[in-house]
Amino acid sequence: MQRRKCVPTRHPTLSNQLSGNGRPTGSLIDLLVQQAGIGEMRMLAPALKTVANRRVVLLQPPHPPQTISLSHLGLAPSQVLWVKSGKFPNALWAAEQVLRSGSCGALLFWAPHVRPESLRRLHLAAQAGETSFFVLRPLAAAHDVSPAPLRLILRAAVGGIDIGFIKRRRPQRDEPLFLALDGPGNAAVRPHTPV
């Protein structure tokens, strides 16, 4: 089996929990989010900055991207392409085209309801290149079948987010990892203390 290149998360404690010390390129990464806006973009921002020389595509985000928010994440608006499709089949087609083209550094696809066979097709398209590919779905999708080699649950926590590991290429980890998000675009990792 071919080893995929990994993009560092820029969060050392999180990277240490992942095979290859980062997120694999050329494969689907399933992010199951408690709700949009809990810090998932701030968590991803350091890694996105490392691939933004090839554009970051935001496909079907729940809210239009704001220039000031992108700037706080360290991304210039010229590095980001927002794609909004009227119908979900068109969004699936757009995602596949972005992945097959290999022209973008990252694709973030908000897909609340996507069938396993569609995820499999997108995962195969992702394997054709080195695009960092994240599918953001609701927590309810945690029980769905997914071909993603990395599946994370993201929940809001005081001062950051709790990251749960559903699937990874390392031994199972039952307790969540706390990732502190100190401010827009700035993250530091510190031990989780119950509130």
Side-chain angles (χ1 to χ4, degrees), residues 55-69:
R55 285 253 173 114
V56 172
V57 177
L58 307 179
L59 177 58
Q60 299 293 100
H63 307 287
Q66 302 295 317
T67 303
I68 195 158
S69 297

Side-chain angles (χ1 to χ4, degrees), residues 115-138:
R115 299 169 55 107
E117 57 270 18
S118 295
L119 286 176
R120 198 170 307 110
R121 184 177 174 104
L122 291 174
H123 181 59
L124 289 172
Q127 290 177 339
E130 290 192 353
T131 300
S132 293
F133 177 39
F134 304 93
V135 175
L136 294 99
R137 305 193 291 152

Side-chain angles (χ1 to χ4, degrees), residues 19 33 42 47 52 54 57 75 80 89 115 121 124 127 141 149 163 187:
S19 181
V33 183
R42 286 189 289 156
R54 290 186 7 210
V57 177
L75 298 170
V80 178
R115 299 169 55 107
R121 184 177 174 104
L124 289 172
Q127 290 177 339
I163 302 172

Side-chain angles (χ1 to χ4, degrees), residues 35-77:
Q35 70 181 51
I38 62 166
E40 65 277 14
M41 290 300 293
R42 286 189 289 156
M43 179 192 84
L44 294 174
L48 294 178
K49 286 190 281 188
T50 65
V51 299
N53 61 321
R54 290 186 7 210
R55 285 253 173 114
V56 172
V57 177
L58 307 179
L59 177 58
Q60 299 293 100
H63 307 287
Q66 302 295 317
T67 303
I68 195 158
S69 297
L70 293 172
S71 296
H72 280 287
L73 294 173
L75 298 170

Side-chain angles (χ1 to χ4, degrees), residues 8 10 29 36 41 44-45 55 79 84 110 112 121 123 126 151 174 183 185 190:
R10 302 290 191 234
I29 298 169
M41 290 300 293
L44 294 174
R55 285 253 173 114
Q79 296 173 303
K84 186 81 172 160
W110 283 263
R121 184 177 174 104
H123 181 59
R151 300 187 75 205
D174 294 327
R190 60 182 168 241

Side-chain angles (χ1 to χ4, degrees), residues 50-190:
T50 65
V51 299
N53 61 321
R54 290 186 7 210
R55 285 253 173 114
V56 172
V57 177
L58 307 179
L59 177 58
Q60 299 293 100
H63 307 287
Q66 302 295 317
T67 303
I68 195 158
S69 297
L70 293 172
S71 296
H72 280 287
L73 294 173
L75 298 170
S78 62
Q79 296 173 303
V80 178
L81 178 64
W82 172 34
V83 179
K84 186 81 172 160
S85 169
K87 296 184 180 186
F88 193 70
N90 294 341
L92 288 170
W93 179 86
E96 189 171 349
Q97 300 313 305
V98 168
L99 293 169
R100 290 198 186 280
S101 76
S103 62
C104 297
L107 169 61
L108 282 71
F109 182 22
W110 283 263
H113 308 287
V114 60
R115 299 169 55 107
E117 57 270 18
S118 295
L119 286 176
R120 198 170 307 110
R121 184 177 174 104
L122 291 174
H123 181 59
L124 289 172
Q127 290 177 339
E130 290 192 353
T131 300
S132 293
F133 177 39
F134 304 93
V135 175
L136 294 99
R137 305 193 291 152
L139 281 181
H143 300 290
D144 295 349
V145 174
S146 172
L150 180 60
R151 300 187 75 205
L152 303 176
I153 290 178
L154 307 179
R155 286 191 169 96
V158 176
I161 56 175
D162 280 330
I163 302 172
F165 298 86
I166 297 176
K167 185 175 169 186
R168 64 182 181 156
R169 290 190 171 131
R170 296 199 58 186
Q172 180 64 31
R173 178 188 168 113
D174 294 327
E175 68 278 356
L177 175 75
F178 176 72
L179 182 68
L181 299 172
D182 292 331
N186 300 324
V189 179
R190 60 182 168 241

Side-chain angles (χ1 to χ4, degrees), residues 18-30:
L18 304 175
S19 181
N21 288 321
R23 294 185 184 91
T25 60
S27 65
L28 183 150
I29 298 169
D30 212 355

